[in-house]
């Protein structure tokens, strides 16, 4: 039987670029690969699997004959185009936030809740938020072992979480502050050096951390903080899970990190947690503080697993663990998880 046809919608974006790299390096389960994007990007030629592919304009007809489509586009584009694709017989794997919390759309992390993929009445599968993905890879195996009850999270989110404009803004700001050793030692001098070029961030990111990521939500929370709560509950099947998060943007190019305080139903040990994580798919244990080995974005960038370390049992609660997780927000956090879901669907369609 012929291999299924895949469409990559948003192929020219920063995550789309990573999707094409992954399609070139992973086991080939696809027949034709179609690259779709806005009219502005149509006609561009991109390399995938050693072939030169011309980007087509996103139209309803572009989905004819397609089996699976991976969407990496803004929420509003997904909301408009995913139903158009499914009406033409396509199964959509969507990387935006558009459908994640819809009750009839599964939110899937293959290593954690692959069984959720079976029930997809709208033929849409949602990919989780990039910070959630890094964290849930480590929390999933621990939940299976000990029964999760509560999460207190602080994220350290990279500039690339805001897209290429975030990366460009950070580099531009770094070049402005480089060489002046007085910067950061007096109030206002970093703001003065950076000027008005804040890009997608509410304050300078160079030489700074910004305790805000996302859009304003009620009661002082940000949308990124609510995603950590709502999506964790849905993926783990724990609708009453207590989650409290503070999302912070840091001057890192790529790689989101999360400091996790997790409370479980039963007593935990650091060694038991390490054991549960050592064999977990998609997780790498980097936990030797005395040797200076920690999970850090400069090491995790460009790799697929969630890097986990600094594992300690809480001093005041034998049922609680503290740990630190880092993952590449464009790979597992976006492109890879989307592609893993698509590959599982391709296997069904054989």
């Amino acid at each position: 039987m012929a291999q299924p046809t895949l469409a990559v919608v948003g192929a020219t974006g920063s995550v789309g670029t990573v999707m094409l790299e992954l399609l070139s390096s992973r086991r080939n389960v696809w027949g034709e690969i179609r690259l779709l994007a806005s009219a502005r990007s149509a006609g561009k030629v991109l390399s995938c699997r050693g072939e030169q592919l011309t980007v087509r304009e996103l139209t309803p007809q572009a989905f004819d004959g397609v089996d699976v489509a991976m969407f990496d586009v803004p929420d509003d584009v997904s909301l408009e185009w995913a139903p158009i694709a499914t009406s033409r017989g396509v199964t959509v794997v969507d990387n935006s936030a558009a459908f994640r919390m819809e009750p009839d759309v599964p939110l899937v992390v293959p290593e954690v809740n692959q069984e959720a993929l079976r029930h997809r009445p709208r033929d849409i599968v949602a990919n989780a938020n990039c910070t959630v993905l890094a964290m849930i890879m480590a929390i999933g195996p621990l939940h299976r072992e000990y029964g999760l009850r509560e999460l207190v999270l602080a994220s350290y989110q990279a500039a690339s979480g805001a897209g290429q404009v975030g990366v460009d803004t950070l580099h531009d700001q770094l070049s402005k502050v480089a060489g002046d050793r007085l910067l950061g030692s007096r109030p206002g001098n970093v703001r003065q050096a950076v000027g008005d070029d804040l890009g997608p961030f509410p304050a300078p990111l160079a030489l700074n951390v910004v305790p805000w990521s996302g859009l304003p939500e009620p009661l002082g929370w940000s949308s990124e903080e609510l995603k950590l709560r709502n999506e964790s509950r849905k993926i783990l099947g724990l609708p009453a899970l207590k989650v409290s998060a503070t999302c912070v943007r840091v001057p890192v190019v790529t790689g989101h990190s999360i400091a996790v305080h997790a409370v479980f139903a039963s007593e935990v040990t650091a060694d038991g947690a390490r054991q549960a994580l050592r064999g977990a798919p998609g997780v790498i244990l980097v936990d030797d503080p005395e040797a200076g080995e920690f999970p850090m974005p400069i090491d995790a960038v460009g790799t697929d697993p969630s890097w986990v370390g600094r594992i300690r049992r809480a001093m005041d609660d034998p049922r609680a663990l503290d740990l630190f997780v880092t993952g590449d927000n464009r790979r597992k956090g976006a492109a890879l998880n989307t592609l893993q879901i698509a590959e599982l669907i391709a296997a069904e369609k054989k």
Side-chain angles (χ1 to χ4, degrees):
M1 192 174 167
Q3 289 179 306
T5 297
L6 174 72
V8 180
V9 183
T12 53
S14 67
V15 171
T17 305
V18 179
M19 283 175 174
L20 300 192
E21 281 172 27
L22 289 167
L23 283 165
S24 302
S25 62
R26 289 174 70 80
R27 192 169 65 87
N28 187 24
V29 301
W30 305 104
E32 183 193 348
I33 292 179
R34 250 176 241 183
L35 309 185
L36 308 179
S38 65
R40 196 178 62 245
S41 298
K44 281 188 181 172
V45 177
L46 301 176
S47 179
C48 181
R49 300 190 299 184
E51 302 170 57
Q52 298 300 302
L53 301 178
T54 302
V55 177
R56 304 189 198 182
E57 184 180 349
L58 178 59
T59 63
Q61 293 72 32
F63 290 108
D64 290 346
V66 170
D67 297 289
V68 183
M70 302 194 299
F71 275 60
D72 185 67
V73 290
D75 295 9
D76 56 333
V77 180
S78 282
L79 281 169
E80 180 184 352
W81 284 92
I84 294 171
T86 58
S87 74
R88 288 174 123 76
V90 180
T91 301
V92 170
V93 187
D94 182 45
N95 188 39
S96 81
F99 300 101
R100 285 177 194 154
M101 297 315 298
E102 295 289 320
D104 53 0
V105 174
L107 181 62
V108 176
V109 182
E111 297 88 344
V112 179
N113 69 333
Q114 184 177 323
E115 68 287 346
L117 195 55
R118 287 200 295 266
H119 182 65
R120 43 175 198 269
R122 288 165 69 177
D123 246 351
I124 299 171
V125 182
N127 192 41
N129 168 269
C130 46
T131 317
V132 173
L133 267 162
M135 184 267 303
I136 215 84
M137 292 294 291
I139 287 300
L142 295 172
H143 168 55
R144 278 196 291 276
E145 195 70 30
Y146 300 112
L148 186 65
R149 291 288 178 270
E150 190 173 337
L151 287 171
V152 181
L153 309 167
S155 74
Y156 305 75
Q157 294 178 220
S160 60
Q164 190 58 42
V165 64
V167 176
D168 293 341
T169 298
L170 175 58
H171 279 302
D172 291 346
Q173 291 182 1
L174 288 171
S175 56
K176 287 178 182 173
V177 301
D180 186 343
R181 297 198 169 195
L182 287 173
L183 287 178
S185 61
R186 299 203 183 101
N189 67 359
V190 171
R191 286 185 184 274
Q192 203 170 353
V194 166
D196 295 330
D197 177 24
L198 300 179
F201 311 117
L205 195 55
L207 306 183
N208 195 25
V209 297
V210 183
W212 183 262
S213 179
L215 302 168
E217 295 283 355
L219 304 174
W221 296 96
S222 80
S223 57
E224 287 284 308
E225 290 158 353
L226 295 193
K227 285 174 189 174
L228 277 165
R229 178 174 183 260
N230 298 337
E231 294 182 28
S232 299
R233 288 172 154 196
K234 184 170 177 178
I235 293 163
L236 296 171
L238 296 172
L241 180 68
K242 292 180 179 178
V243 183
S244 195
T246 302
C247 288
V248 182
R249 192 73 75 177
V250 294
V252 166
V253 174
T254 295
H256 289 349
S257 306
I258 310 97
V260 180
H261 177 80
V263 183
F264 297 93
S266 56
E267 207 166 301
V268 291
T269 65
D271 282 341
R274 285 189 197 99
Q275 202 54 42
L277 290 165
R278 203 169 268 122
V283 171
I284 186 167
L285 204 57
V286 187
D287 195 12
D288 191 352
E290 288 176 18
E293 292 183 1
F294 320 100
M296 294 181 286
I298 56 166
D299 301 317
V301 64
T303 72
D304 292 339
S306 277
W307 295 47
V308 187
R310 293 298 329 275
I311 297 170
R312 296 145 284 153
R313 181 160 90 164
M315 288 179 134
D316 304 313
D317 185 347
R319 297 169 306 121
L321 280 174
D322 288 275
L323 53 130
F324 196 81
V325 187
T326 295
D328 185 319
N329 48 292
R330 296 196 308 173
R331 284 179 81 91
K332 180 59 179 175
L336 174 60
N337 201 71
T338 308
L339 182 54
Q340 285 175 302
I341 296 167
E343 287 171 350
L344 289 169
I345 296 165
E348 292 174 13
K349 290 185 181 278
K350 279 186 175 171

